[in-house]
Short mmCIF file of all heavy atoms in Angstrom, two decimals:
data_model
loop_
_atom_site.label_atom_id
_atom_site.label_comp_id
_atom_site.label_asym_id
_atom_site.label_seq_id
_atom_site.Cartn_x
_atom_site.Cartn_y
_atom_site.Cartn_z
N PHE C 16 -7.41 -1.54 -16.11
CA PHE C 16 -8.38 -2.62 -15.95
C PHE C 16 -9.57 -2.22 -16.81
O PHE C 16 -10.32 -1.32 -16.43
CB PHE C 16 -8.83 -2.75 -14.50
CG PHE C 16 -7.76 -3.21 -13.55
CD1 PHE C 16 -7.19 -2.32 -12.64
CD2 PHE C 16 -7.31 -4.53 -13.54
CE1 PHE C 16 -6.21 -2.74 -11.75
CE2 PHE C 16 -6.34 -4.96 -12.66
CZ PHE C 16 -5.79 -4.07 -11.77
N ALA C 21 -5.74 2.35 -13.45
CA ALA C 21 -5.46 2.29 -12.01
C ALA C 21 -4.12 2.92 -11.71
O ALA C 21 -3.93 3.57 -10.68
CB ALA C 21 -5.49 0.85 -11.53
N ASN C 41 -7.47 6.20 -0.73
CA ASN C 41 -8.09 4.96 -1.19
C ASN C 41 -8.31 5.02 -2.70
O ASN C 41 -8.77 6.03 -3.22
CB ASN C 41 -9.44 4.74 -0.50
CG ASN C 41 -9.27 4.44 0.97
OD1 ASN C 41 -9.92 5.02 1.81
ND2 ASN C 41 -8.38 3.52 1.30
N GLY C 42 -7.96 3.94 -3.35
CA GLY C 42 -8.19 3.86 -4.80
C GLY C 42 -7.14 4.58 -5.63
O GLY C 42 -7.29 4.68 -6.85
N ALA C 43 -6.08 5.08 -5.00
CA ALA C 43 -5.08 5.86 -5.74
C ALA C 43 -4.22 4.97 -6.65
O ALA C 43 -3.60 5.46 -7.60
CB ALA C 43 -4.18 6.61 -4.77
N GLY C 44 -4.17 3.67 -6.34
CA GLY C 44 -3.36 2.78 -7.18
C GLY C 44 -2.19 2.13 -6.46
O GLY C 44 -1.35 1.50 -7.09
N LYS C 45 -2.14 2.26 -5.14
CA LYS C 45 -1.00 1.71 -4.37
C LYS C 45 -0.91 0.19 -4.51
O LYS C 45 0.13 -0.35 -4.86
CB LYS C 45 -1.12 2.08 -2.88
CG LYS C 45 -1.21 3.55 -2.60
CD LYS C 45 -1.34 3.83 -1.12
CE LYS C 45 -2.61 3.33 -0.48
NZ LYS C 45 -3.86 3.96 -0.96
N THR C 46 -2.02 -0.48 -4.21
CA THR C 46 -1.99 -1.95 -4.22
C THR C 46 -1.69 -2.46 -5.62
O THR C 46 -0.89 -3.39 -5.79
CB THR C 46 -3.34 -2.50 -3.72
OG1 THR C 46 -3.58 -1.96 -2.41
CG2 THR C 46 -3.32 -4.02 -3.63
N THR C 47 -2.29 -1.85 -6.61
CA THR C 47 -2.04 -2.29 -7.98
C THR C 47 -0.56 -2.11 -8.33
O THR C 47 0.06 -2.99 -8.94
CB THR C 47 -2.93 -1.49 -8.96
OG1 THR C 47 -4.29 -1.63 -8.54
CG2 THR C 47 -2.78 -1.99 -10.38
N MET C 316 -8.89 8.62 -14.61
CA MET C 316 -9.86 7.58 -14.32
C MET C 316 -11.02 7.73 -15.31
O MET C 316 -11.72 8.73 -15.29
CB MET C 316 -10.40 7.73 -12.90
CG MET C 316 -9.34 7.73 -11.86
SD MET C 316 -8.59 6.13 -11.68
CE MET C 316 -9.58 5.48 -10.38
N VAL C 324 -14.54 -5.17 -17.25
CA VAL C 324 -13.67 -4.87 -16.11
C VAL C 324 -13.03 -6.16 -15.64
O VAL C 324 -13.71 -7.15 -15.40
CB VAL C 324 -14.47 -4.21 -14.98
CG1 VAL C 324 -13.60 -4.01 -13.76
CG2 VAL C 324 -15.03 -2.89 -15.46
N GLU C 325 -11.71 -6.13 -15.56
CA GLU C 325 -10.99 -7.31 -15.10
C GLU C 325 -11.19 -7.44 -13.60
O GLU C 325 -10.99 -6.50 -12.85
CB GLU C 325 -9.50 -7.13 -15.41
CG GLU C 325 -8.67 -8.29 -14.99
CD GLU C 325 -7.21 -8.03 -15.30
OE1 GLU C 325 -6.93 -7.21 -16.20
OE2 GLU C 325 -6.37 -8.64 -14.65
N1 LIG R 501 -8.90 -6.18 -10.52
C1 LIG R 501 -9.41 -4.97 -10.75
N2 LIG R 501 -10.36 -4.79 -11.68
C2 LIG R 501 -10.86 -3.56 -11.92
N3 LIG R 501 -10.46 -2.43 -11.29
C3 LIG R 501 -9.53 -2.56 -10.34
C4 LIG R 501 -8.94 -3.83 -10.01
N4 LIG R 501 -8.02 -3.63 -9.03
C5 LIG R 501 -8.03 -2.31 -8.75
N5 LIG R 501 -8.93 -1.67 -9.54
C6 LIG R 501 -9.22 -0.24 -9.55
O1 LIG R 501 -7.98 0.44 -9.66
C7 LIG R 501 -7.98 1.61 -8.87
C8 LIG R 501 -6.80 1.56 -7.90
O2 LIG R 501 -7.04 0.53 -6.95
P1 LIG R 501 -5.95 0.12 -5.86
O3 LIG R 501 -6.54 -0.99 -5.07
O4 LIG R 501 -4.66 -0.12 -6.53
O5 LIG R 501 -5.86 1.44 -4.99
P2 LIG R 501 -5.25 1.64 -3.54
O6 LIG R 501 -4.50 2.92 -3.57
O7 LIG R 501 -4.50 0.42 -3.12
O8 LIG R 501 -6.56 1.80 -2.68
P3 LIG R 501 -6.86 1.34 -1.15
O9 LIG R 501 -6.03 2.22 -0.26
O10 LIG R 501 -8.33 1.62 -1.04
O11 LIG R 501 -6.53 -0.10 -1.06
C9 LIG R 501 -9.33 1.66 -8.17
O12 LIG R 501 -10.16 2.48 -8.98
C10 LIG R 501 -9.80 0.24 -8.23
O13 LIG R 501 -11.20 0.18 -8.25
#
Side-chain angles (χ1 to χ4, degrees):
F16 293 107
N41 291 131
K45 303 179 295 295
T46 303
T47 305
M316 304 290 267
V324 175
E325 181 181 336

